[in-house]
Amino acid sequence: MSDKKASNQMWGGRFASGPAAIMEAINASISFDRKLYAQDIRGSIAHSEMLAQTGIISAADQEKIAHGLNTILKEIEAGTFEFSTRLEDIHMNVEARLADLIGSAAGRLHTARSRNDQVAVDLRLWVKDECFRVAEALKGLISAFLERAEEHAATVMPGFTHMQAAQPVTFGHHCMAYVEMFSRDLSRVRDAIERMDESPLGAAALAGTSFPIDRHQTAKALGFREPMRNSLDSVSDRDFALEFLGLAAICATHLSRLAEEIIIWSTPQFGFVRLSDSFSTGSSIMPQKKNPDAAELVRGKTGRVTGHLVGLLTVMKGMPLTYGKDMQEDKESVFDAAETLDLMLAAMTGMVRDMTVNAAAMKKAAGSGHATATDLADWLVRTLGLPFREAHHVTGRAVALAEEKKVSLEKLSLEDLQSINPGITEDIFSVLAVQNSVKSRTSFGGTAPSEVRKQIRTWKKRIAKA
Ligand code: ARG
């Protein structure tokens, strides 16, 4: 196996013509960066207009270029454009076709530009658009939660810590916790847009150019606030992609926690919610089953989104300034994370809107497990002036007595309670009922329906403006 042909057969089996085919396969990005066609054409038109206005190319050539690029846009959208792996990426595919269409003027488009600043501007435009899409989807999900919260501001359910029933809360309050989480995601999207709103175009390969270009003009034409200030940073920066993946991973994590709750709540053992048929499936063998597949997939897809963040962080950590071909690996992560997140948000919004809440089951569970024990302790502090630690101890004895008698705390008689502390009066029962427990928690941000309604009003106004 010492001759060249034989060793090539050993490692190049899939690649018909040896090293050249392998190089083409590892080098080409057209199979995925074709997604950037609209941004690439937009960027090229803006660049050509600037070249004409600064006198770097003629107005006649610019017109031909713009016309050709618009034709290409139509061809791609009509599905008649022939993408070629030979031509490596979207930039070269478009430019080669432009030469077919308009001849030598096409060669002037790349003056004072490099694929390094071109790909940076294309991907930034794409990620920025996606951020606006995510913001809209988040607003939809938040609105769905606000509606459910309003409907269930006074619906009691058990609140959990350690997955153990802790204190009664309302379902509306629980929904509003998600409003807070997804609103933070929304503000992260807005912050990220703010930071990525600078144009790298005109940095050329890395050092800028000797042509009298106007980077402010192209930045403005492409909807950026301003050009990036350092040409090296312009072509080497992928923070905008990392930030997008970061906010996507955090948002996906929130969606996954919600999915997990929905999965638990919809088990027959809990029975807190029933998912609509549109977001669940039956079992092919067990007719009684209704599986929360959409929620499970949201939970599962979170791994993918987080994986993309870790993937790109790992690519970027080894990159000396400025551009290196490694950075071509940014796109699939970003595209897949975006597509996945869009789908997760849509599915979750649908699930939240459509699910049926079983208020009776929630209420029953809220009253079990001596969930109002803290209320009993608080009453002892407030009414009898006991130190909290002592109240905690007295309550512990009341819980033990209830367990002994196999009843819940509020079913103990006054005599029972007085046998533990003679100071206890009839008034104690006003706090032992879950509804009253919930109503009494009026501290700012607390679970009292009056507080929850206040928060709903505030958020409705904020979201309308967000
Ligand atoms: N396809 C490349 C990428 O996605 C475009 C930039 C190539 N630049 C270069 N100097 N080879 O990163």
Side-chain angles (χ1 to χ4, degrees), residues 406-453:
K406 296 195 172 40
V407 293
S408 67
L409 207 49
E410 85 255 34
K411 291 278 149 42
L412 285 175
S413 67
L414 186 58
E415 293 70 51
D416 287 338
L417 290 163
Q418 283 172 340
S419 74
I420 297 164
N421 184 309
I424 296 178
T425 65
E426 191 69 39
D427 182 55
I428 190 75
F429 294 104
S430 69
V431 300
L432 290 184
V434 284
Q435 205 76 42
N436 293 334
S437 153
V438 153
K439 238 190 243 164
S440 71
R441 292 199 153 65
T442 51
S443 54
F444 181 81
T447 201
S450 57
E451 269 310 301
V452 172
R453 289 200 179 96

Side-chain angles (χ1 to χ4, degrees), residues 27-30 32-33 36 88-92 114-120 123 205 238 323-331:
N27 204 33
S29 53
I30 189 62
F32 49 87
D33 70 10
L36 295 173
E88 201 182 315
D89 57 24
I90 184 65
H91 325 294
M92 312 253 264
S114 148
R115 271 191 296 156
N116 297 350
D117 58 339
Q118 190 178 357
V119 73
L123 190 60
R238 290 296 181 274
Y323 177 87
K325 200 62 175 263
D326 321 40
M327 283 153 72
Q328 181 164 286
E329 293 291 313
D330 56 4
K331 289 169 208 62

